[in-house]
Amino acid sequence: MRHILLLTTGGTIACRDSGHGLAPALTAEDLLAAVPAVTRVCEVTARPLFNLDSTDMTPKEWLTVAAAIRDAYDCFDGFVITHGTDTLAYAAATLSCLLQHSEKPIVLTGAQLPMGVPGSDAAENLKDAFAWALSEGARGVRIVFAGRVIRGLRARKRHTTDPDAFESVGCPDTALIHDGQIIRYGVPVGEGQGSVTDSPLMPPHEFFEDLDTRIALAHLTPGMSPFVLRHMAEGLHGLIVEGVGIGGIPDTLVPVLTRVAESGVFLILTSQVPYGASDFTVYRAGRRIHEACGGQVVTARDIPSEAAFAAAMWAMAVSRDREDMAERFARALRGADL
Ligand code: ASP
């Protein structure tokens, strides 16, 4: 029998009414008791890590999750993590960066309604997460939710209440799960590397233990004061700038962003439009920042901002050398489809 490690962190899936609103209360055993079919097909070791609303999960907690997986990696065939949905995309992206090229499945799930509540999606999601973790060839970090299997660096929460709450941005889902049946989609070929998911060509796993949390995300708005950006960038190592459209930065913000870049802050450009890659070379309104910063900026292409944020935390923890960071960030982008 395969052996799966279940790590619980809280979230709606584990919530009960506290009298002051929903709050995580259920234990790992409570969750497992609701899906008896799971323990008939595999051995499960449950390890509660936190009981938090994911609003309060931070990179520090995700480092703890990653460490729990790293320490137990050789003893289990796969890992299932229950987590709140509100920051689940950040969690999946961060774990994707910390636990790269995992040969074993690392599966995150949660629910829009607590386990045991009428109409809850919790039991189905948890069963599906185990089904994926036990399936042949499953590897890497994935979110399993509402029957979708989504790559960790591609996920975004798209709905506050609908059970089908997550989508894969810029890349198809890995698979669908319906009534316990797994339907896999085609396998993407890694850009220019000939590397294929589940292929022996995939490099061996590489795990990391650090994140640089001096990163922020700036959503630019029309007429935004340069003062806001200047203050926001103080003490940062990296700033992800969500421009408009395919790639536009208001002219009034170019000088302050240039100064921010010159002061040593790593600038990553992305778009606030959810679909389609960003490209800051199409319009003059985008090129200005490249010209002003002398090529000192990188773009996040088509990955969601949650993933850009995670990739920046990882890239900057490893090295503060600008070229190294840019190369690592590009590597994270390449890994988005693996
Ligand atoms: N606030 C909850 C959380 O993120 C929402 C959920 O899990 O669906 O923990």
Side-chain angles (χ1 to χ4, degrees):
M1 250 193 184
R2 293 204 187 190
H3 196 178
I4 304 291
L5 179 63
L6 170 67
L7 300 170
T8 60
T9 70
T12 293
I13 192 168
C15 272
R16 283 289 174 261
D17 191 349
S18 69
H20 302 275
L22 291 172
L26 300 183
T27 64
E29 286 69 32
D30 295 332
L31 295 181
L32 275 178
V35 288
V38 165
T39 41
R40 283 199 290 272
V41 293
C42 65
E43 195 182 334
V44 183
T45 296
R47 206 162 284 167
L49 293 180
F50 311 103
N51 229 355
L52 289 173
D53 188 301
S54 80
T55 311
D56 297 321
M57 292 289 283
T58 71
K60 185 164 159 256
E61 281 74 34
W62 296 323
L63 283 169
T64 303
V65 176
I69 294 172
R70 223 172 38 235
D71 294 348
Y73 197 73
D74 293 336
C75 306
F76 293 90
D77 300 298
F79 305 85
V80 171
I81 304 142
T82 54
H83 194 287
T85 62
D86 293 342
T87 61
L88 187 57
Y90 287 97
T94 305
L95 292 178
S96 300
C97 292
L98 291 171
L99 305 168
Q100 297 188 20
H101 309 305
S102 170
E103 296 85 358
K104 299 181 182 183
I106 298 168
V107 189
L108 293 120
T109 195
Q112 290 281 56
L113 289 173
M115 187 70 89
V117 163
S120 170
D121 51 342
E124 210 54 35
N125 284 346
L126 193 54
K127 270 190 288 181
D128 285 352
F130 275 95
W132 180 253
L134 292 167
S135 71
E136 214 44 61
R139 57 178 300 161
V141 177
R142 299 286 185 270
I143 287 179
V144 170
F145 209 97
R148 294 175 188 274
V149 182
I150 299 172
R151 289 173 179 78
L153 280 161
R154 290 287 183 181
R156 171 175 283 156
K157 185 171 182 180
R158 69 164 175 197
H159 205 287
T160 54
T161 54
D162 194 303
D164 192 7
F166 287 87
E167 65 185 344
S168 179
V169 175
C171 178
D173 296 347
T174 303
L176 278 183
I177 307 179
H178 185 71
D179 278 344
Q181 297 273 48
I182 294 174
I183 302 139
R184 285 168 198 272
Y185 288 118
V187 172
V189 176
E191 206 180 89
Q193 313 164 45
S195 63
V196 170
T197 308
D198 306 339
S199 144
L201 295 177
M202 283 271 280
H205 71 255
E206 200 177 346
F207 294 165
F208 298 85
E209 301 181 20
D210 253 322
L211 295 169
D212 185 340
T213 54
R214 287 164 80 164
I215 314 290
L217 184 60
H219 184 99
L220 304 190
T221 47
M224 186 179 205
S225 161
F227 172 87
V228 173
L229 279 181
R230 194 168 67 241
H231 281 270
M232 188 172 180
E234 254 168 43
L236 289 183
H237 292 159
L239 180 65
I240 298 154
V241 180
E242 279 188 343
V244 295
I246 191 169
I249 304 279
D251 207 18
T252 46
L253 299 179
V254 172
V256 68
L257 286 173
T258 308
R259 276 200 300 280
V260 165
E262 282 167 359
S263 73
V265 178
F266 188 53
L267 279 192
I268 296 163
L269 306 179
T270 189
S271 171
Q272 49 195 256
V273 180
Y275 307 106
S278 53
D279 182 348
F280 286 74
T281 65
V282 176
Y283 291 95
R284 173 99 194 98
R287 282 193 191 202
R288 296 184 292 225
I289 187 79
H290 277 293
E291 286 159 11
C293 292
Q296 298 280 302
V297 290
V298 299
T299 53
R301 292 206 326 239
D302 64 344
I303 62 166
S305 295
E306 291 89 333
F309 185 77
M313 287 197 294
W314 165 72
M316 278 171 236
V318 178
S319 159
R320 295 285 328 284
D321 173 79
R322 187 174 282 276
E323 268 183 33
D324 269 12
M325 291 192 295
E327 161 47 32
R328 282 188 178 278
F329 190 79
R331 174 177 152 183
L333 296 189
R334 288 196 297 273
D337 296 337
L338 297 181

